[in-house]
Amino acid sequence: MLLAFGRCMHDVMSTAGDWTELALLTGKAKEIEGHARLLRSLYFGDDDYEGNVLDMVPVVLGRVPDPKPDPWADLGAKAAPPKPLTLRDRFPNLDTVTEYLKLPAWLQEHHPDLLEKLFWDASDVDATLPDGTVLSSAEAAAARLEVGEMRRQIERIRRDHATDPEAAVGQAKDLIETACRTILGHTGDAGKEDLPKLISRTMKHLGIDPSQVDEGGDPVEARSAKRLFGGLASVLNGAGELRNARGTGHGRSKSHLLDDALGRLTVGLVLPAVVYLIEVYEDRTNNDQAPNFVSKESRLTATHATAGTRVVHTTFGKGTIVDVVMSDGKLDTAVASIDFGREVGVKRLLLRYAPLALHP
């Protein structure tokens, strides 16, 4: 574990400001500033910087030594060995540093072998949900899509699932929204859209709505598919309803409103459901198997998107680009405001993901 943090820190912590920020978050300013070589080796690009980073890993994680046997225990009886510390007791800053570094996403990209060892080990109950494999699959899917907010939501679920079920359910609902908006290319900053409608549009867009099941083949298979797709929609919508009724938000904060077991069940169902949506999305994008999906080859890109261009979105229909905005001139950040008419209205879509094509 310390090696994984060390490698990530060496890559991510590239300025003295990064260390200052981490020091404030972990309360380790004295140790970081007092290290004889850490910041100096960073500044001058010295070869020993990596070793100095490794020295600081247990420090910023707040390592607590294992308890020692009580020397005053009854000498006439065999003293029970001290109970070993859990992972989070041994490293109380573990979650803070993990979230700051975005460790799971970094490992997925650079060291998937370490990601598997750290987060897919079912025996390490302190580092995973009850079904750690599901959580790691969601993290891997989010890392592949390079959606930063999705990765942060999953990391917060990891942090809160055991101690704050209301917060975990709230993040699960947000994760559903982020995944659906990403699949549709919707930026999510143009007003709040009804979650059931968003889920329905996404499933129809992917060709997995119960109404889209082909009943011309095996009737047993068709019936099973309808039930499974209906169950998928129920899980996603149910998580949203539970969050609104019992999760965080709407002025609630830290009040214990949700049964712990129900919170774990909700998160445990939402994660594989989101993974499934992303896997279907990737499959459709790569193979263009769904009749209503725009392939990568024919997808509208930022280089061809200008005000007045007529386009077609596979879910929203025909529209006209109103304007295109991008950050620092980077094409992969281009967001187009598109007027889809009276029924749909104006949508802001991230062109990197939006299933858009030029209107023929």
Side-chain angles (χ1 to χ4, degrees):
M1 184 193 75
L2 298 181
L3 176 62
F5 275 95
R7 289 181 176 178
C8 182
M9 282 185 185
H10 180 256
D11 185 50
V12 172
M13 308 294 286
S14 58
T15 69
D18 294 333
W19 284 104
T20 300
E21 188 173 353
L22 185 61
L24 293 174
L25 288 172
T26 60
K28 298 297 180 181
K30 180 179 179 180
E31 291 83 350
I32 290 175
E33 294 172 359
H35 191 282
R37 289 285 303 164
L38 176 68
L39 297 180
R40 181 179 176 84
S41 62
L42 167 64
Y43 181 78
F44 289 103
D46 294 338
D47 293 338
D48 63 339
Y49 177 60
E50 183 174 5
N52 296 326
V53 171
L54 291 173
D55 288 343
M56 293 306 301
V57 170
V59 175
V60 297
L61 291 176
R63 181 173 59 185
V64 175
D66 285 322
K68 297 180 180 180
D70 182 4
W72 301 104
D74 185 358
L75 299 179
K78 186 176 180 180
K83 185 179 179 180
L85 296 174
T86 65
L87 187 63
R88 281 172 172 75
D89 287 339
R90 183 178 291 112
F91 299 106
N93 294 334
L94 181 70
D95 292 332
T96 299
V97 179
T98 298
E99 183 170 357
Y100 177 75
L101 297 174
K102 306 295 181 286
L103 181 65
W106 185 90
L107 289 175
Q108 171 62 31
E109 181 178 355
H110 299 281
H111 291 283
D113 56 326
L114 290 178
L115 175 70
E116 181 173 351
K117 289 179 181 179
L118 279 178
F119 298 117
W120 289 19
D121 184 357
S123 64
D124 188 359
V125 295
D126 289 313
T128 64
L129 289 175
D131 187 350
T133 302
V134 169
L135 184 58
S136 294
S137 297
E139 288 169 331
R144 289 196 304 273
L145 289 183
E146 299 179 359
V147 181
E149 184 57 27
M150 193 182 299
R151 295 198 298 266
R152 287 188 288 272
Q153 288 159 349
I154 295 171
E155 288 161 6
R156 290 170 191 145
I157 290 173
R158 177 186 297 283
R159 178 193 66 196
D160 295 333
H161 80 278
T163 58
D164 193 345
E166 292 85 11
V169 169
Q171 291 298 327
K173 184 256 188 180
D174 292 343
L175 178 64
I176 295 169
E177 283 194 10
T178 303
C180 289
R181 293 186 185 280
T182 299
I183 290 169
L184 294 174
H186 202 315
T187 62
D189 60 355
K192 203 70 174 176
E193 187 169 15
D194 180 66
L195 182 61
K197 183 181 293 185
L198 187 63
I199 292 170
S200 177
R201 282 178 172 170
T202 302
M203 293 185 65
K204 288 179 180 177
H205 173 68
L206 295 175
I208 56 174
D209 187 82
S211 65
Q212 295 171 303
V213 173
D214 182 7
E215 300 186 15
D218 187 336
V220 175
E221 182 177 339
R223 185 168 60 250
S224 299
K226 279 194 169 186
R227 287 179 176 175
L228 288 170
F229 291 155
L232 174 64
S234 296
V235 165
L236 298 175
N237 283 301
E241 292 173 2
L242 183 62
R243 182 266 183 184
N244 292 337
R246 294 289 185 268
T248 54
H250 303 293
R252 305 186 184 98
S253 178
K254 295 298 182 182
S255 57
H256 193 76
L257 303 171
L258 181 66
D259 177 73
D260 289 359
L262 181 58
R264 289 192 295 271
L265 174 66
T266 302
V267 172
L269 291 173
V270 166
L271 287 168
V274 169
V275 170
Y276 177 70
L277 292 180
I278 294 173
E279 288 179 343
V280 174
Y281 166 76
E282 291 176 326
D283 182 60
R284 299 291 194 264
T285 304
N286 293 331
N287 301 313
D288 194 25
Q289 292 182 354
N292 66 335
F293 216 90
V294 178
S295 67
K296 285 184 176 180
E297 291 74 19
S298 60
R299 181 169 295 180
L300 177 71
T301 62
T303 55
H304 300 99
T306 58
T309 301
R310 295 281 294 165
V311 296
V312 179
H313 187 283
T314 59
T315 300
F316 301 136
K318 300 175 184 178
T320 303
I321 295 179
V322 178
D323 63 32
V324 179
V325 179
M326 61 187 75
S327 301
D328 300 324
K330 297 179 180 178
L331 294 178
D332 61 354
T333 67
V335 173
S337 296
I338 304 175
D339 187 352
F340 289 101
R342 181 179 301 177
E343 184 176 344
V344 177
V346 176
K347 299 290 184 182
R348 285 172 50 81
L349 303 180
L350 185 62
L351 294 181
R352 184 180 182 185
Y353 294 111
L356 286 164
L358 287 171
H359 188 285

